[in-house]
Amino acid sequence: MAVLHPESTLGQCIPPFTKYGITTYLPTWEAALRLRDGDPAIASKLQNIYPRLMPFGDTRVLIDTLGNKLGIPDGSAGYAFTSPQMLALTRKYGLSEKRDEYRLLPEDLIFKCVEIDGIRLFLVYFPRVKVKGVSDAWQEPGIGLPMRLAESLLPHVDSASEIECNWENPPAPSYVPEGPSHERLRERICGLLHRAAIDPEKIKVTSRDVYLYPTGMAAIYYLDRLAARYRPGSVVVLGSVFHNTFHLLRNRAGPSEFKHFPHVDTSGLDSFETWLREETDAGRDVSYAIVEFPSNPILVSADLHRLHALSRKYNFILAVDDTIGSFANVDVLPTCDVLVTSITKTFSGYADVMGGSTVLNPLSPHYSGDGGLRALYDAEFHNEVFTGDVDTLLANSEDYLSRSAKLGQNATLLAAHLQTASLSPSSPILRVHHPSVVPSGGNYTSLYRRPTPEYPSPTYPCLLSVDFASLEATRAFYDALAFYPGPHLGAHKSLSLCYGALLFGKDEEEKRYQAGFGVFQEAVRISVGLEEWEDLRDTVDVAIKAAAEVGGRTGV
């Protein structure tokens, strides 16, 4: 038993140190907020970062090298994609009035296409000082050029050839070739969905129903595009969801066709059902609803059986994001039409590769037919996942089940420990969010997979959140907690994040809105890793003591 001590320095990934690492060690609350605010002193120390936040490493090197070759003006930054549709979307983001002082002019954007080693890249360059005006085009759809593909192309830069290009009518893409490992990954995901199903007769999925994407957000981006074509209408977000999901769907649908029901308890679903009835009576269609199971970051588990019944009654697509619950533990496919997952997280588990998947449910009424979802996906899908990333996902997920068991066990023990600590009247902890200790936990356990010899006890997810009595206590806990602070979840090492402050702290309106359904600034999100439970407990106790010294509830 020992208190943990991080091995990383500011800006590094968690061990083992690799250029592919997708975490960033931000050891203090102040460092996290300085990164949020674009402090160049923090940015200069970054050796790793979550790839969907910005082009980094070999991806940035390739973009800059091609920019020099193409004569792009000094002071420019750029993005690279294998999909030509991103040219128009980046332009749309950049020219939007919502960008305020970072709004770009049409002449600020330079569109290029090059072919390099058989791969066509679609590039957008813009003034570096206006990067905040277009950053959502990289962060939200999640289909930017991945690092391993960039690494493979860098040796061929000298042979790159430019192809005439404009954003309205770009040349035909090459996308990314598939290899045998792509099918092996689809088969692995398919096998996990069949494994220990509650009712095997309700799982008819094959590997042909699994679609691979560069990131989890890419799976959601394409779901949104194709669902809108299949069934135009309103888009509904249920409960708390990952902030990029929320913003992507709100930005695309617009205020008239975007609806958020932040509460998914019985009362919240009653309100949703009332709204569905009113929309039907008014002759307005609902395209689809999406819900996380459980939700990020407050771990609420909606009643998927009730949502499934509502989707059938009102004929909308129900999509479930099971990233946090994960394939190992919960059998959610029979309750939905589409399953989206960030396989970057627990499935991969070692924080060195990105990936996403979409699975179509063959038993869904929206699946079949010439105009059904399966036909749409087959017609529109193009591979954008590099073989090197697929190989890494396959290698990492070899021990997925054993890791999931350990992660869930550790998180459940830690949630119980924190819950006990919160019971003291002077505790700095107000509440703990984890399916094992919240009222909606029964919805989660109702979808547990059957016990099997290779996975005897389905368990709770690795993620939990802790609310504190004051911002001062929150900061003290965060700074004293010797995990690895920074974005990401589902890794082999324990991670912490000042989720609300980092993502919503600068926007007063959004801060208030998020707080209205339980996402507070005074909270720390924890992704529990594979360390020994006693070490996790002792490490957290040091942080609780630091928070208590600042002031518990009696000082509020």
Side-chain angles (χ1 to χ4, degrees):
M1 295 182 291
V3 174
L4 298 171
H5 296 283
E7 301 172 43
S8 303
T9 58
L10 175 63
Q12 278 188 316
C13 64
I14 61 177
F17 305 116
T18 167
K19 70 176 182 178
Y20 306 116
I22 63 174
T23 58
T24 305
Y25 180 59
L26 300 168
T28 64
W29 185 281
E30 180 187 6
L33 299 197
R34 286 171 64 191
L35 178 66
R36 177 198 70 186
D37 297 341
D39 186 334
I42 295 292
S44 68
K45 296 181 183 297
L46 296 179
Q47 299 178 47
N48 301 87
I49 198 164
Y50 201 70
R52 212 173 29 74
L53 296 180
M54 65 180 76
F56 203 77
D58 286 339
T59 300
R60 180 169 176 177
V61 171
L62 180 62
I63 292 169
D64 291 347
T65 303
L66 288 172
N68 291 334
K69 183 180 178 70
L70 295 166
I72 301 300
D74 291 342
S76 297
Y79 295 151
F81 309 94
T82 57
S83 173
Q85 66 189 251
M86 288 307 301
L87 300 185
L89 186 60
T90 303
R91 185 178 188 274
K92 179 181 178 181
Y93 274 110
L95 302 187
S96 169
E97 294 180 356
K98 298 177 182 177
R99 306 302 157 188
D100 299 325
E101 71 268 29
Y102 299 106
R103 185 184 183 189
L104 281 78
L105 301 173
E107 56 267 30
D108 287 330
L109 293 163
I110 301 172
F111 301 99
K112 296 288 186 179
C113 177
V114 300
E115 185 162 319
I116 175 171
D117 196 32
I119 301 292
R120 286 191 175 179
L121 298 182
F122 298 88
L123 301 128
V124 186
Y125 292 95
F126 44 83
R128 189 176 300 278
V129 294
K130 292 188 176 181
V131 66
K132 290 185 178 180
V134 291
S135 58
D136 285 350
W138 183 268
Q139 295 175 3
E140 291 180 0
I143 55 176
L145 184 71
M147 185 184 294
R148 285 182 178 84
L149 177 54
E151 177 187 42
S152 76
L153 296 178
L154 271 170
H156 306 281
V157 165
D158 289 343
S159 64
S161 58
E162 184 176 359
I163 300 170
E164 185 176 347
C165 178
N166 66 73
W167 69 270
E168 292 178 291
N169 187 29
S174 65
Y175 291 107
V176 181
E178 283 199 11
S181 56
H182 286 73
E183 178 59 16
R184 289 200 296 273
L185 182 54
R186 286 190 288 264
E187 288 174 349
R188 178 165 296 175
I189 292 170
C190 180
L192 287 165
L193 293 172
H194 279 274
R195 190 198 70 82
I198 296 170
D199 182 353
E201 290 302 310
K202 293 184 178 180
I203 306 294
K204 300 298 183 183
V205 66
T206 71
S207 64
R208 293 180 60 204
D209 300 311
V210 181
Y211 301 83
L212 302 177
Y213 294 99
T215 64
M217 281 306 303
I220 293 172
Y221 168 70
Y222 282 111
L223 163 68
D224 180 63
R225 283 172 53 87
L226 296 179
R229 287 178 53 185
Y230 169 76
R231 181 178 169 83
S234 298
V235 174
V236 180
V237 170
L238 297 166
S240 172
V241 297
F242 182 53
H243 73 110
N244 281 137
T245 300
F246 186 90
H247 292 146
L248 171 71
L249 303 185
R250 184 179 63 181
N251 287 339
R252 199 279 302 166
S256 64
E257 292 194 338
F258 177 82
K259 186 70 174 178
H260 182 214
F261 289 88
H263 301 285
V264 290
D265 55 7
T266 299
S267 176
L269 294 189
D270 287 345
S271 297
F272 177 46
E273 184 169 7
T274 298
W275 178 81
L276 286 169
R277 184 166 56 250
E278 292 170 350
E279 293 297 287
T280 299
D281 291 344
R284 294 187 292 265
D285 288 333
V286 176
S287 176
Y288 72 95
I290 186 168
V291 62
E292 294 182 354
F293 190 82
S295 64
N296 184 8
I298 53 176
L299 285 299
V300 175
S301 302
D303 182 348
L304 294 189
H305 294 294
R306 182 176 178 186
L307 287 174
H308 180 260
L310 290 174
S311 73
R312 295 297 176 262
K313 182 176 181 179
Y314 293 100
N315 197 34
F316 62 87
I317 299 165
L318 179 60
V320 174
D321 183 338
D322 71 338
T323 297
I324 295 175
S326 91
F327 304 137
N329 294 311
V330 285
D331 180 16
V332 302
L333 185 63
T335 68
C336 64
D337 304 295
V338 182
L339 185 67
V340 292
T341 310
S342 173
I343 55 177
T344 305
K345 309 300 193 301
T346 310
F347 178 83
S348 171
Y350 290 102
D352 62 355
V353 67
M354 305 283 282
S357 66
T358 292
V359 180
L360 303 182
N361 184 354
L363 298 181
S364 163
H366 306 288
Y367 176 85
S368 301
D370 291 341
L373 288 177
R374 172 64 187 271
L376 266 178
Y377 267 84
D378 283 348
E380 294 295 323
F381 178 81
H382 300 282
N383 181 57
E384 297 173 73
V385 187
F386 181 54
T387 297
D389 288 330
V390 175
D391 290 341
T392 305
L393 287 163
L394 281 168
N396 287 358
S397 60
E398 285 286 347
D399 62 352
Y400 168 57
L401 290 180
S402 60
R403 278 190 293 102
S404 295
K406 179 71 170 178
L407 292 173
Q409 179 186 48
N410 278 348
T412 303
L413 289 169
L414 184 57
H417 186 68
L418 288 161
Q419 181 82 342
T420 299
S422 74
L423 299 179
S424 168
S426 60
S427 173
I429 299 172
L430 285 183
R431 65 189 68 85
V432 180
H433 301 276
H434 189 253
S436 63
V437 296
V438 298
S440 67
N443 292 330
Y444 182 87
T445 57
S446 73
L447 292 172
Y448 266 168
R449 294 186 178 276
R450 292 180 293 106
T452 60
E454 75 275 10
Y455 202 71
S457 300
T459 187
Y460 293 107
C462 67
L463 197 69
L464 57 94
S465 288
V466 188
D467 294 341
F468 291 88
S470 68
L471 192 60
E472 292 76 18
T474 314
R475 292 187 62 158
F477 178 89
Y478 189 82
D479 289 347
L481 183 62
F483 290 167
Y484 287 89
H488 191 43
L489 63 92
H492 54 293
K493 299 286 187 181
S494 292
L495 310 170
S496 54
L497 185 66
C498 46
Y499 186 93
L502 185 66
L503 299 178
F504 312 120
K506 289 188 71 175
D507 187 326
E508 289 298 324
E509 182 179 352
E510 186 150 28
K511 184 194 302 185
R512 287 192 297 271
Y513 184 72
Q514 295 284 330
F517 53 91
V519 181
F520 299 110
Q521 306 291 293
E522 301 85 358
V524 175
R525 191 187 76 175
I526 297 173
S527 172
V528 184
L530 298 174
E531 300 93 343
E532 292 303 313
W533 152 241
E534 292 82 4
D535 296 345
L536 293 169
R537 178 198 61 202
D538 293 351
T539 303
V540 165
D541 282 346
V542 171
I544 294 173
K545 182 179 179 181
E549 289 173 353
V550 170
R553 273 172 261 175
T554 56
V556 178

